[in-house]
Amino acid sequence: MVLPDHGSNPQNTYKAMDIRMPEQIVDLSANINPIGPPTGLKKIWKDLIDEIVTYPDPHSVALRKSIARKEGIEPEAILIGNGGAELIHLIGRWLSRSNVMIIHPTFSEYEKACQINDCTIHHFILKENDWDLDLNRLKVTLPKMDAVFICNPTNPTGVLYSASKLEEIIMEANNEQCCVIVDEAFYDFPLEEITVAPLVKKYTNLIVLRSMTKMFSIPGIRLGFLMAGETVVRELENYQVHWSVNGIAQRVGETLLEEKDFIRQTQYMVKKEREKLFAFFDESQFRYSPSQTNFYLLRDPSLNEQTELFRFLLENGIVSRHTHNFKGLDGRWLRFAVKGELEHGKLMDALTEWKSRP
């Protein structure tokens, strides 16, 4: 049995598990905003047809300037990418043959990007249940590393680390000439907005990744960006394919930067739905990760490995995300996206039925 490496595309999960896919499913495997794309994007959608008859700006100048104004940095400190995945793989090429530390459990794409570029990969596995960053243990490893990947909020646990804790790592790594890549793909989901983006002006060893896919529910468009020192941005840009980011994506990005009310609406909705779920999990004696974002880990403590629950939910039309390819989890948890009241009602019904089995 070979399960998919990522969430979404549930038909692949059903095929891998050799289960007939029901006509009606609830897909909780992909961490996309359940509200869908904002109204502002829908309003301009017809106008975007004009972008398909001309070549896009290969340097995404207008979008870079818009992001720079929002983040308070220079446009030259920004690189636009065809989704966060492209940027991760550009960083992998840039780090070719380096010693790289990956803090787990985390997004599997970091390791894949480093593996294909002949990096020597070291795994720093956080302790289960709170997944807190042990700074003292981490600092010991930094002198041997050329780079370290940190996800904040962390995918898949949803744990959010303070900016001060991250700066302590960045500062220590800077002293050791070690690059720190902080992936903030989900930074705009928690009500408490924590980011280290302003620190790119202070630390030349820092790269901050962002994705527009998750908050604005546009995975089919593919749009992300990174922020770093100008020298690093130029070096990474050298590896990027010309016209990597299409004209529609660039225009969409400029529009989405104005969607402050949409982001706030999403944050409150996610918090409300997550808290209702966690209250149910407490009552039903499930364990879950202390998530601050739009996804969380869940497990039935009566099981070690959760495949039986994973299968039961699939048979009942509920698609979760397995954790077999997350180091430090190894199938002991399932990951779920926070969605809406209807989807959660079906999830809670299925979990209640699971608990009531003889």
Side-chain angles (χ1 to χ4, degrees):
M1 178 180 66
V2 179
L3 290 166
D5 286 339
H6 300 290
S8 74
N9 304 118
Q11 67 279 3
N12 296 333
T13 300
Y14 276 97
K15 183 178 180 180
M17 292 292 291
D18 195 25
I19 299 172
R20 184 175 179 275
M21 185 172 171
E23 289 186 11
Q24 299 290 327
I25 65 166
V26 175
D27 187 2
L28 302 179
S29 69
N31 308 327
I32 303 297
N33 190 335
I35 296 176
T39 303
L41 176 56
K42 295 175 183 178
K43 286 180 178 178
I44 69 162
W45 190 251
K46 290 183 180 178
D47 298 333
L48 296 177
I49 192 69
D50 295 338
E51 298 295 337
I52 70 172
V53 297
T54 57
Y55 280 95
D57 175 4
H59 303 293
S60 306
V61 171
L63 181 53
R64 269 176 154 165
K65 286 181 177 178
S66 296
I67 294 171
R69 284 193 296 270
K70 178 179 179 291
E71 299 294 337
I73 59 178
E74 295 300 316
E76 293 76 18
I78 297 165
L79 180 62
I80 312 298
N82 189 331
E86 185 203 20
L87 297 169
I88 291 167
H89 280 266
L90 292 179
I91 292 169
R93 289 190 65 186
W94 182 66
L95 292 172
S96 179
R97 300 182 184 279
S98 298
N99 283 312
V100 177
M101 172 75 75
I102 300 176
I103 297 179
H104 296 281
T106 198
F107 187 39
S108 61
E109 209 65 28
Y110 312 143
E111 184 170 356
K112 186 181 295 184
C114 292
Q115 278 179 338
I116 62 176
N117 288 287
D118 298 318
C119 294
T120 301
I121 301 172
H122 305 261
H123 304 290
F124 187 93
I125 298 177
L126 302 176
K127 292 182 180 179
E128 198 168 290
N129 296 322
D130 65 358
W131 294 280
D132 193 23
L133 276 172
D134 185 339
L135 295 184
N136 292 328
R137 187 163 66 97
L138 182 59
K139 286 177 182 178
V140 172
T141 68
L142 292 177
K144 304 172 186 177
M145 299 300 141
D146 299 305
V148 57
F149 281 86
I150 304 173
C151 191
N152 193 51
T154 301
N155 181 6
T157 65
V159 172
L160 181 64
Y161 304 119
S162 68
S164 59
K165 178 171 281 193
L166 292 175
E167 183 171 10
E168 191 172 345
I169 296 169
I170 295 162
M171 181 171 60
E172 187 74 22
N174 192 49
N175 294 336
E176 302 295 343
Q177 297 183 315
C178 172
C179 178
V180 178
I181 301 102
V182 180
D183 187 347
E184 295 184 345
F186 298 94
Y187 96 105
D188 43 7
F189 281 93
L191 274 170
E192 182 184 11
E193 187 176 287
I194 292 177
T195 176
V196 293
L199 298 179
V200 299
K201 295 185 289 188
K202 183 178 179 181
Y203 297 101
T204 58
N205 69 319
L206 174 62
I207 299 174
V208 180
L209 288 164
R210 293 271 182 86
S211 169
M212 289 187 163
T213 294
K214 312 300 189 300
M215 170 57 70
F216 299 110
S217 195
I218 55 167
I221 289 180
R222 311 305 306 143
L223 186 63
F225 62 95
L226 64 76
M227 295 168 280
E230 294 178 23
T231 300
V232 172
V233 168
R234 285 197 301 270
E235 291 175 358
L236 290 168
E237 195 170 20
N238 286 334
Y239 293 115
Q240 192 172 37
V241 175
H242 215 54
W243 303 303
S244 170
V245 183
N246 69 71
I248 290 176
Q250 292 179 34
R251 282 278 306 280
V252 166
E254 292 179 63
T255 299
L256 296 179
L257 290 173
E258 305 299 322
E259 293 286 350
K260 295 178 183 177
D261 290 343
F262 176 84
I263 291 173
R264 205 64 176 167
Q265 176 192 0
T266 298
Q267 290 169 342
Y268 280 109
M269 184 276 289
V270 166
K271 182 175 186 291
K272 177 184 174 184
E273 290 298 326
R274 188 180 62 236
E275 289 177 347
K276 285 185 346 189
L277 282 169
F278 287 3
F280 169 79
F281 298 152
D282 285 332
E283 183 181 338
S284 305
Q285 297 184 322
F286 286 95
R287 290 174 60 190
Y288 55 90
S289 62
S291 173
Q292 296 295 309
T293 188
N294 63 319
F295 52 86
Y296 55 91
L297 294 179
L298 183 75
R299 71 187 306 264
D300 183 338
S302 68
L303 302 174
N304 181 30
E305 204 267 353
Q306 301 291 305
T307 298
E308 187 180 351
L309 175 57
F310 184 60
R311 176 178 290 276
F312 174 85
L313 291 173
L314 286 171
E315 290 171 345
N316 284 273
I318 308 291
V319 185
S320 62
R321 168 72 162 86
H322 73 90
T323 62
H324 288 284
N325 63 335
F326 286 105
K327 285 184 174 59
L329 299 181
D330 307 309
R332 291 190 303 277
W333 298 79
L334 300 176
R335 192 195 70 189
F336 294 80
V338 175
K339 297 291 184 182
E341 188 174 353
L342 178 63
E343 293 90 341
H344 295 160
K346 292 180 179 179
L347 172 62
M348 289 188 283
D349 286 346
L351 291 175
T352 299
E353 183 181 344
W354 165 265
K355 283 288 189 178
S356 66
R357 296 175 312 148

